[in-house]
Amino acid sequence: MAVAVKKYNPGFLSDDEIIASFCVRTAEFDSLVESLRESGTGSSPHSLVIGPRGSGKTHLLLRVAAEVRRDPALTGLFPVTFAEESYEVTTCGEFWLECLGRLADQAPGEVRENLRRTYEELRTVTDDQALADRCIGSLLDFADRHKTRLLLLVENLNMLFNDINDPDVGWRLRQTLQTEPRFILFGSATSRFDEIDNPDHALYDLFRIITLHPLDTAQSETLWEAVTGKPSAGQAVRPLEILTGGNPRLLTIIARFGADRSFRDLMENLLDLVDDHTEYFKSHLEALPPQERRVYLSLARLWKPSTARAIADLARLNTSTCSAQLKRLVSRGSVAIEGGTPRRRQYYLTERLYNIYYLLRTRGRSAKLVNALIDFAVCLYSPKDFVAAVAVFYEESRDLEINGRSVKEQITNAVIHEAEALGELGHIHDAISLYDQVIDRFVSGDGLQSDSHLAVAMLNKAMLLITAERECDAIIICSDLIERFESSTEEFLAGHVAMAFGCKGVAMAAAGSSDDALSNLDEALERMHSMGESIPTVLTATLTQAKGLVCLGVNQTSEALAFFEQTLLQYAQADEPQRPSSIASALVCKSDALYRINRTVDEGHFLLLLNCLATEGSLFPGSIEALIRFISTIEPTRALELLRASPAAPLIAPLIAAVQQELGETPEVAKEVSALAMDVLRLLDEVRAQQLQVVSQSTVA
């Protein structure tokens, strides 16, 4: 069951909702609560939680407050929760006045009115020292009357000190917190700041520091399941962790957007997510002063950890001005320091999804690089199923011409036009629904002119059903199409019957019925061969490839390899030009078969695969593994040379970065690319280990 999660501010949740939705940062929560349980009346375990925007600071502190209110062992504490932004606090007296005002809002009903009157009275005090003393007196009076200690939960403590110009404020606050055990302060900050880091400043060594690190994969999966109410799709959460930088708020946004989507659909519609949350991203940007915004956007354009000089050059500012703005951005938690040296620090944006948002919105070359990265992630983490490997059958069959008549020319009905358009856009279920309308109208005799319309609708629906993993439904409709038109002498309908046998074979293979799949594929190929040149080579080649995949699925590797070789030969001998995706798919299948017998494709086929991917402009599930298998068998320096020289290089940046890392280089790439590269390296190590194991077993035998 999904839990209630507010998009940006958990402060709007009730205690029950806070507790139900709190699923990560549990170790930090336990540490804070334990410090409260162990503190005696004479000690105050002041703590400061540090983490960038969206890392869960507010949720964590609110969870502590909820625990204090419900745990009998903590009845000697009363939480006073500040707002996330305390804009009116500019002096020490105003800090304590804000504390009194928050207490007046949160105190028990019987004392709330008196506290509110006191608060309104003290608002008129102009002397700051007198204001602070009287507010503190009222707070301690409440603590004594109720035999409790006040747990002050103060957000964005670093920004609070940036807005207060009085240098004595820190020392005055420290004196009160150190000498008055009835106050405990739990604060948050978006970054470390001078008041806690500099030994000469007031708050140095006053707080126990708890740093919120990015969520790891296991924590990301936990959060995904809590937000969506559904099990995480295994590896599918890993790229989302990478794209969000492990930021809980951004991961929550994606989880809410993608709760009812497949991983592939979610990733391919990331731009829709960006559009849905434009107000969030824009508000963050518009809140920055103009010069900070200029530096921030320049860093976003660089899309990698960068030095102040590199950022300044792009922002057209001098380095000292840029460094000053970067310092402010770091204090806001919008930018973090990542790598470099003390004299040449490198910076990057903390909210990684914002960087993606900005690059996608600006379009151009940067947007293409982001789309290539997303495509790489989809292919690296998507399941390599049977349907994905033969999806080209669906694409090619829609452009089929039989006896000079194309499938598209037969689609004169407006409903079929709309269904095709929906299918092309990926709205599979809507397209299937419209095809059902066409089929129902034909059966009822309502306004459909020819059998061709029905054949087109039925075949297109069947192939979409396979894509939607409804193989049994696809088998039923293919069988219906065959039964209706098997005896037809019209070549167009005969071609659709042949394709229906092929589609049925694909569906049966996906459903695990290997013998039935092979018999239907054989029937389809026999019928296509009898039609001669009416059937394009790509369809017969694709079905030959499908036979190979069926054999591969039942570990008949030699037979599978022969079918894949035959597929490539058919493409080579075809008179009509072939789609690069068709050739690439056959090469990937061949690579898989060879890998199972501890062999790999030769360098010529490796380069052909890269060229096909470059021409197609995208990857697909299985292509990355095929590239990795070849790379695992050659020297890394040669692999890097081939990859860099390939026209597919922009599509495989994480793969190139992985080989660079293996060679001891430090590639200057986006953090997302670097994270994907680490996963590629792990996969490369696994492939090599498996190859060594096979060799070892062969030697022993």
Side-chain angles (χ1 to χ4, degrees):
M1 176 180 172
V3 296
V5 180
K6 300 302 180 187
K7 219 174 359 180
Y8 312 129
N9 194 345
F12 295 121
L13 298 174
S14 67
D15 276 0
D16 287 342
E17 289 173 328
I18 285 287
I19 292 169
S21 61
F22 190 81
C23 56
V24 293
R25 308 301 189 197
T26 53
E28 293 85 353
F29 165 74
D30 290 340
S31 177
L32 288 170
V33 171
E34 189 62 27
S35 71
L36 293 176
R37 292 196 178 105
E38 291 179 350
S39 65
T41 56
S43 64
S44 297
H46 307 302
S47 299
L48 184 63
V49 179
I50 298 178
R53 282 179 12 126
S55 59
K57 303 182 299 297
T58 299
H59 205 169
L60 174 59
L61 293 183
L62 290 175
R63 179 65 183 89
V64 170
E67 187 69 13
V68 169
R69 282 189 283 266
R70 77 167 190 163
D71 187 348
L74 299 173
T75 52
L77 292 168
F78 188 92
V80 180
T81 306
F82 278 50
E84 191 167 353
E85 291 90 11
S86 300
Y87 295 116
E88 297 180 358
V89 177
T90 60
T91 68
C92 186
E94 288 174 351
F95 172 84
W96 292 110
L97 180 66
E98 178 73 7
C99 185
L100 182 62
R102 293 292 163 182
L103 177 62
D105 291 337
Q106 300 163 30
E110 65 271 14
V111 298
R112 190 175 300 163
E113 187 175 343
N114 288 337
L115 285 170
R116 175 55 58 185
R117 280 199 298 267
T118 302
Y119 171 77
E120 293 297 336
E121 176 188 339
L122 293 180
R123 277 173 55 85
T124 63
V125 176
T126 56
D127 182 272
D128 195 66
Q129 184 62 59
L131 175 63
D133 291 342
R134 293 182 62 182
C135 287
I136 291 172
S138 296
L139 292 166
L140 295 178
D141 181 61
F142 173 88
D144 290 340
R145 286 176 181 272
H146 294 273
K147 295 181 173 57
T148 189
R149 304 165 75 193
L150 297 180
L151 173 62
L152 311 181
L153 301 165
V154 184
E155 294 272 17
N156 294 316
L157 205 59
N158 58 324
M159 299 302 296
L160 200 63
F161 273 89
N162 284 342
D163 294 337
I164 296 177
N165 293 322
D166 185 354
D168 292 332
V169 166
W171 294 107
R172 291 167 61 186
L173 181 62
R174 182 186 186 101
Q175 181 183 18
T176 302
L177 293 176
Q178 282 190 317
T179 59
E180 183 44 71
R182 285 169 286 183
F183 290 131
I184 300 175
L185 176 59
F186 279 8
S188 74
T190 53
S191 66
R192 301 189 69 93
F193 54 106
D194 285 346
E195 283 294 328
I196 64 170
D197 281 340
N198 192 326
D200 296 331
H201 286 206
L203 302 186
Y204 180 77
D205 207 27
L206 177 66
F207 295 104
R208 184 172 65 106
I209 304 298
I210 294 179
T211 302
L212 299 186
H213 299 286
L215 299 184
D216 60 24
T217 304
Q219 292 169 326
S220 298
E221 289 177 354
T222 299
L223 180 59
W224 177 275
E225 292 174 2
V227 173
T228 64
K230 299 176 181 178
S232 63
Q235 278 191 309
V237 175
R238 170 60 177 159
L240 303 180
E241 171 204 341
I242 291 172
L243 291 176
T244 60
N247 182 292
R249 179 186 294 165
L250 298 180
L251 189 58
T252 297
I253 289 174
I254 289 187
R256 291 174 66 87
F257 175 81
D260 297 317
R261 299 170 183 261
S262 68
F263 169 63
R264 175 174 286 274
D265 185 37
L266 169 60
M267 297 293 283
E268 290 177 348
N269 288 279
L270 192 62
L271 189 56
D272 290 342
L273 180 149
V274 167
D275 285 338
D276 284 352
H277 292 82
T278 292
E279 82 280 2
Y280 168 68
F281 294 119
K282 286 185 66 177
S283 65
H284 172 45
L285 183 61
E286 291 168 356
L288 297 175
Q291 205 163 59
E292 283 184 49
R293 187 186 310 152
R294 190 171 177 178
V295 170
Y296 186 88
L297 292 179
S298 296
L299 185 52
R301 286 172 60 191
L302 287 166
W303 196 36
K304 62 183 180 182
S306 304
T307 63
R309 179 180 292 276
I311 302 165
D313 288 345
L314 193 58
R316 300 180 64 195
L317 296 170
N318 63 60
T319 304
S320 59
T321 300
C322 182
S323 296
Q325 300 306 320
L326 283 168
K327 184 176 180 180
R328 291 183 62 84
L329 287 166
V330 169
S331 71
R332 293 179 187 274
S334 299
V335 169
I337 298 171
E338 173 73 12
T341 65
R343 294 182 60 85
R344 290 176 56 83
R345 290 176 172 174
Q346 291 184 325
Y347 301 86
Y348 76 104
L349 300 191
T350 54
E351 291 197 86
R352 304 307 304 157
L353 197 59
Y354 180 86
N355 212 144
I356 300 253
Y357 155 80
Y358 176 74
L359 295 174
L360 287 174
R361 298 286 289 188
T362 54
R363 304 191 184 278
R365 181 176 178 274
S366 295
K368 291 180 180 178
L369 292 175
V370 172
N371 282 318
L373 178 75
I374 293 170
D375 191 31
F376 191 97
V378 169
C379 295
L380 184 61
Y381 300 104
S382 289
K384 288 74 182 174
D385 55 20
F386 181 90
V387 178
V390 294
V392 68
F393 178 70
Y394 171 61
E395 296 297 329
E396 293 290 351
S397 66
R398 293 176 61 248
D399 292 334
L400 174 64
E401 288 194 6
I402 299 176
N403 199 22
R405 300 166 61 194
S406 72
V407 170
K408 289 184 177 179
E409 287 173 356
Q410 295 296 318
I411 304 172
T412 58
N413 186 281
V415 179
I416 297 182
H417 270 304
E418 187 176 352
E420 282 231 325
L422 287 169
E424 289 175 355
L425 292 172
H427 301 298
I428 295 173
H429 299 294
D430 293 335
I432 290 172
S433 178
L434 287 178
Y435 284 131
D436 281 336
Q437 292 181 34
V438 174
I439 295 168
D440 291 343
R441 287 174 61 189
F442 182 90
V443 172
S444 65
D446 180 19
L448 204 62
Q449 291 82 13
S450 71
D451 289 343
S452 299
H453 290 90
L454 180 61
V456 169
M458 293 179 76
L459 185 64
N460 281 0
K461 178 187 174 181
M463 288 187 281
L464 286 177
L465 286 169
I466 296 175
T467 304
E469 299 181 358
R470 293 170 56 186
E471 296 88 358
C472 293
D473 292 336
I475 292 169
I476 291 171
I477 197 167
C478 286
S479 299
D480 190 11
L481 191 159
I482 292 167
E483 184 179 350
R484 282 178 180 273
F485 303 118
E486 188 170 12
S487 60
S488 174
T489 57
E490 184 181 347
E491 195 169 29
F492 186 84
L493 292 176
H496 275 68
V497 169
M499 288 190 290
F501 273 110
C503 186
K504 186 177 178 181
V506 169
M508 286 180 165
S513 302
S514 302
D515 292 339
D516 291 335
L518 285 173
S519 64
N520 276 274
L521 291 171
D522 285 337
E523 180 69 25
L525 286 168
E526 184 177 337
R527 287 173 178 268
M528 288 180 179
H529 287 313
S530 69
M531 296 181 68
E533 296 181 357
S534 298
I535 298 292
T537 302
V538 66
L539 287 182
T540 57
T542 302
L543 293 182
T544 302
Q545 179 179 329
K547 291 179 65 176
L549 285 165
V550 174
C551 292
L552 206 59
V554 293
N555 295 319
Q556 296 176 4
T557 307
S558 299
E559 293 86 344
L561 188 57
F563 283 127
F564 298 145
E565 293 282 11
Q566 184 181 347
T567 301
L568 289 168
L569 183 61
Q570 287 174 314
Y571 286 138
Q573 294 177 343
D575 294 330
E576 67 271 17
Q578 303 304 313
R579 288 185 178 180
S581 58
S582 303
I583 300 171
S585 178
L587 287 168
V588 167
C589 290
K590 179 181 177 180
S591 169
D592 194 6
L594 288 171
Y595 177 66
R596 298 193 185 197
I597 55 176
N598 204 35
R599 292 169 54 197
T600 187
V601 295
D602 58 32
E603 187 170 304
H605 274 167
F606 174 74
L607 295 176
L608 176 59
L609 175 57
L610 286 172
N611 287 333
C612 287
L613 295 174
T615 304
E616 191 69 19
S618 63
L619 306 171
F620 58 88
S623 53
I624 296 173
E625 283 74 7
L627 298 176
I628 287 175
R629 288 168 192 148
F630 176 80
I631 290 172
S632 69
T633 63
I634 64 173
E635 288 295 323
T637 50
R638 177 57 177 163
L640 185 59
E641 178 186 350
L642 293 173
L643 293 173
R644 279 177 165 167
S646 166
L651 301 177
I652 52 174
L655 186 57
I656 294 173
V659 180
Q660 287 182 273
Q661 290 177 9
E662 188 174 35
L663 289 169
E665 300 180 16
T666 304
E668 295 184 358
V669 293
K671 290 177 67 66
E672 294 82 357
V673 174
S674 182
L676 285 171
M678 292 299 296
D679 286 358
V680 169
L681 273 178
R682 282 193 286 270
L683 186 57
L684 186 59
D685 288 341
E686 290 174 8
V687 168
R688 287 176 175 146
Q690 290 170 359
Q691 290 170 337
L692 287 174
Q693 186 177 11
V694 171
V695 171
S696 176
Q697 291 172 346
S698 300
T699 303
V700 172

